Amino acid sequence: MAEAGVGMDAEREEGGERDLEEPLLKRSPSLTTSHLAMVGSKVSRMESLDYEIIENDLFQHDWRSRSRVEVLQYVFLKWTLAFLVGLLTGAIASLINLAVENIAGAKMIAVTRLVNQQRYLAGVAYLTGINLALTAIAAVLCVGIAPTAAGPGIPEIKAYLNGVDTPNMYGASTLFVKIVGSIGAVAAGLDLGKEGPLVHIGTCIAALLGQGGGGAAGGRRRWRWLRYIDNDRDRRDLITLGASSGVCAAFRAPVGGVLFALEEVATCTAVVVVVLRGFTELCDSGSCGLFGRGGLILFDVGDVQVTYHAADLLPVAAIGVIGGLLGSLYNFLLHKVLRFYSLINEKGRAAKLILSLSVSIFTSLCVFSLPFLGRCTPCDAGLPAGVCPTTSRTGKFKQFNCAAGYYNDLASLLQSTNDDAVRHIFSATAAPAEYSPAALLVFFALYCVLGLFTFGIAVPSGLFLPIILMGSGYGRLLGLAMKPYTQLDQGLYAVLGAAALMAGSMRMTVSLCVIFLELTNNLLLLPITMIVLLIAKTVGDVFNPSIYEIILELKGLPFLEPNPEPWMRNLTVGELAAAKPTVVSLSGVERVGRLLEVLNSTTHNGFPVVDHRPKAVVAELHGLVLRSHIIAVLRKRWFLGERRRTEEWEARERFTSEDLAERGRSVGDLEITEEEKEMFVDLHPFTNMTPHTVVETMSVAKAVVLFREIGLRHLLIVPKNQGPGVAPLVGILTRQDLRAHNILGAFPHISNRKARRNRDKASS
Amino acid sequence: MAEAGVGMDAEREEGGERDLEEPLLKRSPSLTTSHLAMVGSKVSRMESLDYEIIENDLFQHDWRSRSRVEVLQYVFLKWTLAFLVGLLTGAIASLINLAVENIAGAKMIAVTRLVNQQRYLAGVAYLTGINLALTAIAAVLCVGIAPTAAGPGIPEIKAYLNGVDTPNMYGASTLFVKIVGSIGAVAAGLDLGKEGPLVHIGTCIAALLGQGGGGAAGGRRRWRWLRYIDNDRDRRDLITLGASSGVCAAFRAPVGGVLFALEEVATCTAVVVVVLRGFTELCDSGSCGLFGRGGLILFDVGDVQVTYHAADLLPVAAIGVIGGLLGSLYNFLLHKVLRFYSLINEKGRAAKLILSLSVSIFTSLCVFSLPFLGRCTPCDAGLPAGVCPTTSRTGKFKQFNCAAGYYNDLASLLQSTNDDAVRHIFSATAAPAEYSPAALLVFFALYCVLGLFTFGIAVPSGLFLPIILMGSGYGRLLGLAMKPYTQLDQGLYAVLGAAALMAGSMRMTVSLCVIFLELTNNLLLLPITMIVLLIAKTVGDVFNPSIYEIILELKGLPFLEPNPEPWMRNLTVGELAAAKPTVVSLSGVERVGRLLEVLNSTTHNGFPVVDHRPKAVVAELHGLVLRSHIIAVLRKRWFLGERRRTEEWEARERFTSEDLAERGRSVGDLEITEEEKEMFVDLHPFTNMTPHTVVETMSVAKAVVLFREIGLRHLLIVPKNQGPGVAPLVGILTRQDLRAHNILGAFPHISNRKARRNRDKASS
């Protein structure tokens, strides 16, 4: 993943310079912003979403004419979509689980058979070969068909919900690749989870339903009744629906899923859980193939003894602190690894494929060979013959290379599916230690290494499971160490360790808490889980940002933080706007030729519309017109012979709000004749007459709060002292301009505390 | 509770008319807003909170000088406060529970003894008398000492979090009265809960800790290290902390409590739960007096059989629909009852007392006498002698007036504490029906009546428990009716009925869901609970708003809805501002006498500061200055001999941000001499130079979104076409002006659809 914004400085914001105002802006350090970022593993153009209420003649008319029936239709539509999204997400999640468990199961049976015959070389070859094939399927699909399906998808979704348009993320091909790729990658035994991919799958389903079948990147097939979902706000709600359905499906955690999003998505998640439960019951009866339970993640530690005393708070705090330290260390190292991988990925598709396959080979070899270091432990007498050593596929005590009546503890840890491994590690210990300290150490070390090197490859992957595996490993090790001093159950240590590492890396607390609650089905764990999460998060926050923020930064996605940086109060929006190129504005009634020129030569998405009255001394700002609306007018070819204002009804009878709601149209495919270029377009009916404005002396911090809270795309800066000879507009700021990263690029000393103190002293 | 805003039209917004701009505003229908509302049972002045970042010279300087150490101190302070709030709330909640259970227990023992001796008259007299005494304590305290402690407190807290300053809600006397009053009212067997009061108690604790001991209404004792909590935003965070601790304490639901608020409060709730668990364990050992478990609400239905099939979805949906219908009916009737009570309350304190005592007598008589209608049911042979009829105090099968070996089912329902009643009704039925349909019917009818008439009396009360009681009643009745057709457990019907009625009345879904989850400790109930809640909410929404919105409206608290009304798009802020009296503005350097005149004759809290430059044609808007800042300057007596601008350092050396952060000071106690009145004050250093502005053509809907999202107190309206001869400011809008209710008062036909259509037809 290349660092967009530095290496790929392709397009800058310069354009045609025919402005009608006096240039008031001095050329200061210039604000360079890149519009490119990494979506999945694909470099794409970034644009912001726009939640501002557009107030022009056309829209006002449309709103007023929406009848009560239409409003009810809209509400009914939303509920139906929510239900369908939940249903489909639950169904697909169940199918993925079944497929993975069946494929992995068949694979393990064959390998076990070879091992039992002591044909070890054949075994390792078989395992490696099958895993390689599965990985190849996933990687080829990702690299070839849908590069946006690589990785978890969660950073891009977070960015979308933050207001960044992430193109090509939610199409049908992405969905297909994500599903098949996930199955392949997980069944191949790679150290990655399907939770992140499930969230992405949920959003794809939601987006596709909302589009009525057409892709988000285009496609005109839209069911008539979907015309209500034609604005960014509704689309965002739909994506949110999908994301929480995905979380719910991944963890069987409806409330956790809801916490991921808004209250209206409760329908979705309730449906998902019902569907999943249905499948679970079905599979309990054994009709689901090899793995009886269908492999739904359910780390049922209901039998864990949860009695804790005041003295236990110390080890619990220790778990939290270590989780925080390890979590931030993981973030740091993963950052380095991802940057290294981005160098490799730049070399082309073949390089990406080879990387993925190498990781697969490495994983298979480790998983097969390391257990030879394992200790053959005699089975506990109390356990019946079929349980230890296990003859079933999900069993805990694998024989591997040991004699009858013995089990290999390292093989038991490594040679199950990842879900089973977690289940085993979380299990309560009624009997004496089942895993030797050495086995746990090898397990922990291996998954640390795999956890670092698996995530960035070009297959759908998730972060949750690797972190849970690492965390439970260190948790259990810590439990062994603390054994003489505490009565806490060993399995509980593993659970807390996993929770602590997740908080230490991802820095989420409430959602995680609820997810763990619903995972473990044990309410009594809640208080100490919360304490552990909080401690881990706090410790981790001291060192570096959360892993998702790091990934967002690497991908160059312009995520706007909820709280402005403190140094943003030292800079005014006027100074910031002065660092940008001059604003390109349009006349209220503009020549078609000029419109085309402006659209082709700039990448701006909003243009101020300025009127010059005959008697007025200064131009008057009418409002802001969006690029997409200009393109819509040009496509309809509503051209005027002479430069005149039109009546309100003229626009209304030619355009509906549907016409203006399309996104993503380009101007390139328009064919305008030379004659037409001399005609005029009246922009007034399409201009947003009440754009949000701030005075130029306002601090950037205050402007960022406004921008973020409302969800703006453009913020207009007006001068403080208006009057004759003063231009009505100082500049326009967009999301990219307000990012800390970019501002520091233009004003590098602004965050320097020493420089500020000197400046203060100088001015007092 | 009087309907403030109509009957109490005391103060209007007219004031001194010496404005320096030409009056541009025509006198249209005028926007009348009342600043009075009912807090608790006390009529108070309402003011808004202000979350806008004030940018004047003084504040900018202060922010920049905050060192890293001070920032760390601030963070540490917040965490410590969070911990303390959680600790104290948990402790107080436990104490309340213990007190209630012990008092009620002793009472019931005495009454049971009398009943066993068949001294019925003595029994009813004793019961009624004790209850009367307990109610009297609660009512006298409420009426006499802290009227803001009456009722639940949740509407006022919601209003506070919405941005309305609710004075006198969080003081020490309110806290004391709320605790003692709650104990008294609940122990007196009244049909009200302690959940609402616990939320209020939590906020009081938080506010008091944040104030360092001084009351919110005044008090200068402030610990030095609390100087960081000196703005509205931090105070709001503190109140939020307290509220979620209260929710957590009430329901033993840490996640539910967190959902009530923000993520940062997780510390609080975790601590609360640990404290509560500690007490539970302590009490389990029997050292807590009469009621062994300490009476913490825990409706443990872990043993309820939760198998449901597709066929069960129909009765589940029915529960939801009936819940929605009953819930909205309850809202409607409670509204009427509260209005009736407000008429009574207007007659004075004695009337309030008598009302409370009457309700108490009625409740006691019903609870004692109705069981005589109960059926004496023979005890099931399988139950041991001590269980049925019960000899313990929490037992399920009360003998009352029956012979040995028999129990009175109606007495079992009515004559326990409310918490026990719910526990019994939620219990699973392994045995045949324990409660006859007749008993359930009487139970349901009684609690419907009590639920309507108890809530509005002058004691701390809550809505949760009455609604749970009603809901479980109808749920269980429905379960009996559906018995031939379904296999769902009877106890489960009661739980779902309670959930449905709560959603039908309060219209909350996610928080309720989590609370119920944590109450019942049964994760498997989650999906059908969610479905029931959603259906009930949707059905209820068809008829009327939620009960809290109705109460907010009755109290006149100016709650600003998150979404603007559709008709708000048809009105511009310019038109709205024109309906207000002319803006009162101040000069940049103003005479002291004029300042006093303006402060005394208006109730405005913000004044535009306007400069008249010698050569400029039009006045220039410098910014907005707050009343509290003007008063701070006057108190410091920083008066200038002549009309001049001051240097930045002059203000800085006289004032710190602490001086400017005080609230609630009045100007009346200032003593300014005649000489001083002729001196001048330079307002420039204290003026917020970047107030949020909108153009006059913006719709009210768009302005409301801005107002609400940022948390503004004042919104300045600027003209569209600035220039010579045009005043720089059209008007200022405040929270009251943007309320649907008030706008409709000034523009009554704006929401009339027919009128709009006619207007549209006329203009096209």
Short mmCIF file of all heavy atoms in Angstrom, two decimals, chain A residues 187-213:
data_model
loop_
_atom_site.label_atom_id
_atom_site.label_comp_id
_atom_site.label_asym_id
_atom_site.label_seq_id
_atom_site.Cartn_x
_atom_site.Cartn_y
_atom_site.Cartn_z
N ALA A 187 -10.06 -20.97 4.93
CA ALA A 187 -9.92 -22.43 4.82
C ALA A 187 -8.46 -22.81 4.60
O ALA A 187 -8.05 -23.92 4.94
CB ALA A 187 -10.79 -22.95 3.68
N ALA A 188 -7.70 -21.89 4.03
CA ALA A 188 -6.29 -22.17 3.80
C ALA A 188 -5.48 -22.09 5.08
O ALA A 188 -4.26 -22.26 5.06
CB ALA A 188 -5.73 -21.18 2.79
N GLY A 189 -6.13 -21.82 6.19
CA GLY A 189 -5.43 -21.83 7.45
C GLY A 189 -4.55 -20.62 7.69
O GLY A 189 -3.73 -20.60 8.60
N LEU A 190 -4.75 -19.56 6.90
CA LEU A 190 -3.96 -18.35 7.13
C LEU A 190 -4.41 -17.70 8.42
O LEU A 190 -5.54 -17.86 8.86
CB LEU A 190 -4.15 -17.38 5.96
CG LEU A 190 -3.53 -17.82 4.64
CD1 LEU A 190 -4.02 -16.91 3.52
CD2 LEU A 190 -2.01 -17.77 4.74
N ASP A 191 -3.51 -16.93 9.00
CA ASP A 191 -3.82 -16.27 10.27
C ASP A 191 -4.59 -14.98 10.00
O ASP A 191 -4.06 -13.87 10.12
CB ASP A 191 -2.52 -15.97 11.02
CG ASP A 191 -2.78 -15.28 12.35
OD1 ASP A 191 -3.91 -15.37 12.86
OD2 ASP A 191 -1.86 -14.63 12.87
N LEU A 192 -5.83 -15.15 9.63
CA LEU A 192 -6.67 -13.98 9.45
C LEU A 192 -8.11 -14.39 9.72
O LEU A 192 -8.42 -15.57 9.74
CB LEU A 192 -6.52 -13.39 8.04
CG LEU A 192 -6.43 -14.38 6.88
CD1 LEU A 192 -7.80 -14.91 6.48
CD2 LEU A 192 -5.80 -13.69 5.69
N GLY A 193 -8.94 -13.41 9.99
CA GLY A 193 -10.30 -13.73 10.37
C GLY A 193 -11.28 -13.37 9.28
O GLY A 193 -10.92 -12.79 8.27
N LYS A 194 -12.52 -13.74 9.50
CA LYS A 194 -13.55 -13.36 8.54
C LYS A 194 -14.47 -12.28 9.09
O LYS A 194 -15.48 -11.96 8.47
CB LYS A 194 -14.36 -14.58 8.11
CG LYS A 194 -14.86 -15.43 9.21
CD LYS A 194 -15.49 -16.70 8.61
CE LYS A 194 -16.04 -17.66 9.63
NZ LYS A 194 -15.39 -17.70 10.92
N GLU A 195 -14.13 -11.69 10.22
CA GLU A 195 -15.00 -10.70 10.82
C GLU A 195 -14.99 -9.41 10.01
O GLU A 195 -16.04 -8.89 9.65
CB GLU A 195 -14.57 -10.39 12.25
CG GLU A 195 -14.59 -11.58 13.18
CD GLU A 195 -13.43 -12.51 12.94
OE1 GLU A 195 -12.41 -11.99 12.47
OE2 GLU A 195 -13.55 -13.70 13.21
N GLY A 196 -13.80 -8.92 9.74
CA GLY A 196 -13.69 -7.71 8.94
C GLY A 196 -14.38 -7.90 7.59
O GLY A 196 -15.22 -7.09 7.19
N PRO A 197 -14.04 -8.97 6.86
CA PRO A 197 -14.73 -9.20 5.59
C PRO A 197 -16.24 -9.28 5.73
O PRO A 197 -16.96 -8.79 4.85
CB PRO A 197 -14.14 -10.53 5.13
CG PRO A 197 -12.77 -10.53 5.67
CD PRO A 197 -12.85 -9.83 6.99
N LEU A 198 -16.73 -9.83 6.81
CA LEU A 198 -18.19 -9.91 6.96
C LEU A 198 -18.81 -8.53 7.07
O LEU A 198 -19.91 -8.29 6.57
CB LEU A 198 -18.57 -10.75 8.18
CG LEU A 198 -18.71 -12.23 7.88
CD1 LEU A 198 -18.87 -13.03 9.16
CD2 LEU A 198 -19.89 -12.50 6.96
N VAL A 199 -18.12 -7.62 7.71
CA VAL A 199 -18.63 -6.26 7.79
C VAL A 199 -18.72 -5.66 6.39
O VAL A 199 -19.72 -5.05 6.02
CB VAL A 199 -17.74 -5.39 8.70
CG1 VAL A 199 -18.23 -3.96 8.72
CG2 VAL A 199 -17.72 -5.93 10.10
N HIS A 200 -17.68 -5.87 5.62
CA HIS A 200 -17.66 -5.35 4.26
C HIS A 200 -18.75 -6.00 3.43
O HIS A 200 -19.44 -5.36 2.64
CB HIS A 200 -16.28 -5.61 3.64
CG HIS A 200 -16.06 -4.90 2.36
ND1 HIS A 200 -14.89 -5.02 1.64
CD2 HIS A 200 -16.84 -4.05 1.64
CE1 HIS A 200 -14.97 -4.30 0.55
NE2 HIS A 200 -16.13 -3.69 0.51
N ILE A 201 -18.93 -7.31 3.63
CA ILE A 201 -19.97 -8.01 2.88
C ILE A 201 -21.34 -7.43 3.21
O ILE A 201 -22.18 -7.22 2.33
CB ILE A 201 -19.90 -9.53 3.19
CG1 ILE A 201 -18.68 -10.13 2.50
CG2 ILE A 201 -21.17 -10.22 2.75
CD1 ILE A 201 -18.37 -11.54 2.95
N GLY A 202 -21.55 -7.14 4.48
CA GLY A 202 -22.82 -6.55 4.87
C GLY A 202 -23.07 -5.23 4.17
O GLY A 202 -24.16 -4.95 3.67
N THR A 203 -22.03 -4.40 4.09
CA THR A 203 -22.23 -3.11 3.42
C THR A 203 -22.47 -3.28 1.93
O THR A 203 -23.25 -2.55 1.34
CB THR A 203 -21.00 -2.19 3.62
OG1 THR A 203 -19.84 -2.89 3.16
CG2 THR A 203 -20.82 -1.83 5.07
N CYS A 204 -21.80 -4.25 1.32
CA CYS A 204 -22.04 -4.49 -0.11
C CYS A 204 -23.49 -4.87 -0.35
O CYS A 204 -24.14 -4.37 -1.27
CB CYS A 204 -21.15 -5.62 -0.63
SG CYS A 204 -19.44 -5.13 -0.83
N ILE A 205 -23.99 -5.78 0.49
CA ILE A 205 -25.37 -6.22 0.33
C ILE A 205 -26.30 -5.01 0.45
O ILE A 205 -27.20 -4.82 -0.37
CB ILE A 205 -25.72 -7.27 1.39
CG1 ILE A 205 -24.92 -8.55 1.15
CG2 ILE A 205 -27.21 -7.57 1.38
CD1 ILE A 205 -25.05 -9.56 2.24
N ALA A 206 -26.05 -4.20 1.45
CA ALA A 206 -26.91 -3.04 1.66
C ALA A 206 -26.84 -2.09 0.47
O ALA A 206 -27.86 -1.60 -0.01
CB ALA A 206 -26.49 -2.31 2.94
N ALA A 207 -25.64 -1.83 0.00
CA ALA A 207 -25.49 -0.90 -1.10
C ALA A 207 -26.16 -1.44 -2.36
O ALA A 207 -26.81 -0.69 -3.09
CB ALA A 207 -24.01 -0.62 -1.36
N LEU A 208 -25.97 -2.72 -2.60
CA LEU A 208 -26.56 -3.29 -3.81
C LEU A 208 -28.09 -3.26 -3.76
O LEU A 208 -28.74 -2.91 -4.73
CB LEU A 208 -26.09 -4.74 -4.01
CG LEU A 208 -24.64 -4.84 -4.49
CD1 LEU A 208 -24.18 -6.28 -4.48
CD2 LEU A 208 -24.50 -4.24 -5.87
N LEU A 209 -28.64 -3.58 -2.60
CA LEU A 209 -30.09 -3.50 -2.47
C LEU A 209 -30.57 -2.08 -2.69
O LEU A 209 -31.57 -1.82 -3.33
CB LEU A 209 -30.54 -4.00 -1.10
CG LEU A 209 -30.59 -5.50 -0.93
CD1 LEU A 209 -30.99 -5.83 0.50
CD2 LEU A 209 -31.59 -6.12 -1.88
N GLY A 210 -29.81 -1.14 -2.13
CA GLY A 210 -30.22 0.25 -2.25
C GLY A 210 -30.12 0.76 -3.67
O GLY A 210 -30.85 1.65 -4.07
N GLN A 211 -29.19 0.18 -4.41
CA GLN A 211 -29.05 0.61 -5.81
C GLN A 211 -30.04 -0.07 -6.70
O GLN A 211 -30.17 0.27 -7.87
CB GLN A 211 -27.65 0.27 -6.31
CG GLN A 211 -26.54 0.96 -5.54
CD GLN A 211 -26.44 2.39 -5.96
OE1 GLN A 211 -26.69 2.71 -7.10
NE2 GLN A 211 -26.07 3.25 -5.03
N GLY A 212 -30.67 -1.10 -6.18
CA GLY A 212 -31.61 -1.83 -7.01
C GLY A 212 -30.91 -2.65 -8.06
O GLY A 212 -31.43 -2.89 -9.14
N GLY A 213 -29.70 -3.06 -7.75
CA GLY A 213 -29.05 -3.94 -8.69
C GLY A 213 -27.89 -3.30 -9.44
O GLY A 213 -26.96 -3.98 -9.84
#
